[in-house]
Amino acid sequence: MKRKMWLSMALSALLLVAAGCGNNSNNTEPSETPGTGSGEQAEATSYSIAFSQYVEHPSLDATREGILAALKEAGISEEDNTLSIDYNNAQGDPGNNLSIGQKLRNTKADLVIAIATPSAQAVAENVKEKPILFAAVTDPLDSKLVSDMKQPGGNISGASDTNPEATKQLMGFVSTHFPDVKTVGLIINEGEPNAVVMARTAEEALSEHGIEMVKAAVTNTSEVKQAAESLVGKVDAFFITLDNNVVSGVDTIIETAKANQIPFFSSDRDTVEKGAFATVGFKYYDHGYQVGQMAVEILKDGKNPGEMEITVPDKLDLILNLGAAADYGIEVTDAMKEEVKDPENNIIE
């Protein structure tokens, strides 16, 4: 009896030892931390961005969409709760624009993105403690946002939406293929620095071809229609720069130009898609995507915007809207089409 009891006790002791070995720290199976099951993952980092956009129109909206697309591709989006956005739109009003800049002075956002020159200027003047990126700015040097395109310094960088060569090439296209055009009408808000810079480039290029520029000034979008109508009978073609107030009212220019069969040339692809005949340019979505990639480097990698080179569009091409040509009384020639490098994407039927 005693022998059986002793054997039973010995067996129990062996089982306890074996169980203890299973919990040995040398065990290759990972142990779970209390409160986190093996299927749970660490919560993704969340970022916040404050947008300041001067006005809503296709080019600026496409820029913002491109920025958000680049962020989303990098795993930063509102859909998966890794991005919160403070969106501010000045609606083309200088007073609103200044107020937005002042509001963002104390923003808690990780990054401020300004779309269009007036917005960038107001933000740069007020936001000193947060990184800033700008987009859709024609001339960062002339608008005094930076003093060096390669090393902007401070807390700001971004992408310019123009290459002076684009305007020169477009004016050359007008001169070559529209020999009857002797005057070009420009509708312009001379309170926008970007518009003034581009207008100067266009006027100089036209002058080299013996073509005169006639200006019709506006101060806001509501005056665009009247300005376009005032040029009828005085000019042989219309042209607009990347002028935010003017582009916002571009539908009335298209309407006036078609009604009077005056060829209309613009400075951005989106306006050509809307109904202008031609431009030399690029997609604003792609421009925004480029800025979005810069935003990813700042948010995820901690890059200093002051050390990031400001970029300009380098893939310029002639863009034609063949569907709109007849409305302006334009006969599209093979020679015109041959100037388009990428006809599949840049000839709009």
Side-chain angles (χ1 to χ4, degrees), residues 106-121:
N106 299 313
T107 182
K108 302 297 184 185
D110 299 307
L111 172 65
V112 179
I113 300 180
I115 303 177
T117 301
S119 293
Q121 289 175 315

Side-chain angles (χ1 to χ4, degrees), residues 50-302:
F51 276 101
S52 176
Q53 182 171 322
Y54 188 63
V55 71
E56 288 185 346
H57 66 60
S59 295
L60 301 189
D61 293 343
T63 298
R64 188 178 72 254
E65 290 166 8
I67 292 169
L68 293 174
L71 288 166
K72 186 173 183 178
E73 188 169 290
I76 304 174
S77 70
E78 287 185 299
E79 289 86 343
D80 57 15
N81 298 316
T82 54
L83 177 65
S84 59
I85 296 174
D86 174 19
Y87 176 65
N88 304 273
N89 191 305
Q91 300 176 342
D93 184 281
N96 290 343
N97 185 54
L98 179 59
S99 295
I100 291 169
Q102 293 170 339
K103 168 197 166 184
L104 295 178
R105 183 180 297 164
N106 299 313
T107 182
K108 302 297 184 185
D110 299 307
L111 172 65
V112 179
I113 300 180
I115 303 177
T117 301
S119 293
Q121 289 175 315
V123 166
E125 182 180 346
N126 287 281
V127 180
K128 304 298 182 182
E129 303 299 326
K130 297 288 183 178
I132 301 169
L133 286 176
F134 57 74
V137 169
T138 298
D139 192 333
L141 296 174
D142 187 78
S143 57
K144 295 180 172 51
L145 291 170
V146 299
S147 58
D148 191 314
M149 295 284 279
K150 292 187 179 296
Q151 288 285 333
N155 63 328
I156 189 167
S157 187
S160 170
D161 65 349
T162 189
N163 182 328
E165 288 304 311
T167 302
K168 294 175 184 177
Q169 288 176 26
L170 181 60
M171 297 305 104
F173 174 80
V174 172
S175 170
T176 300
H177 299 285
F178 294 82
D180 293 334
V181 170
K182 303 300 180 185
T183 53
V184 171
L186 173 72
I187 300 154
I188 182 172
N189 172 16
E190 293 184 317
E192 269 201 50
N194 58 309
V196 174
V197 170
M198 291 188 71
R200 188 185 307 129
T201 300
E203 189 167 18
E204 290 172 357
L206 288 171
S207 178
E208 290 177 6
H209 299 293
I211 300 173
E212 179 187 1
M213 175 178 282
V214 179
K215 298 178 184 176
V218 300
T219 58
N220 56 59
T221 300
S222 65
E223 298 173 357
V224 171
K225 179 175 171 46
Q226 183 178 353
E229 291 173 344
S230 74
L231 292 171
V232 175
K234 300 177 183 177
V235 300
D236 305 311
F238 283 151
F239 169 66
I240 61 171
T241 67
L242 300 173
D243 186 325
N244 293 295
N245 281 303
V246 174
V247 175
S248 294
V250 76
D251 288 340
T252 60
I253 303 176
I254 292 171
E255 179 186 329
T256 303
K258 287 183 176 180
N260 295 277
Q261 293 208 316
I262 300 172
F264 176 28
F265 304 91
S266 72
S267 294
D268 65 294
R269 181 191 181 94
D270 297 292
T271 298
V272 173
E273 290 180 348
K274 259 193 161 186
F277 172 61
T279 190
V280 172
F282 55 93
K283 287 186 176 181
Y284 267 82
Y285 179 92
D286 295 339
H287 169 70
Y289 191 91
Q290 186 177 31
V291 176
Q293 290 177 313
M294 297 175 76
V296 171
E297 291 185 75
I298 291 170
L299 295 173
K300 284 196 165 186
D301 303 331

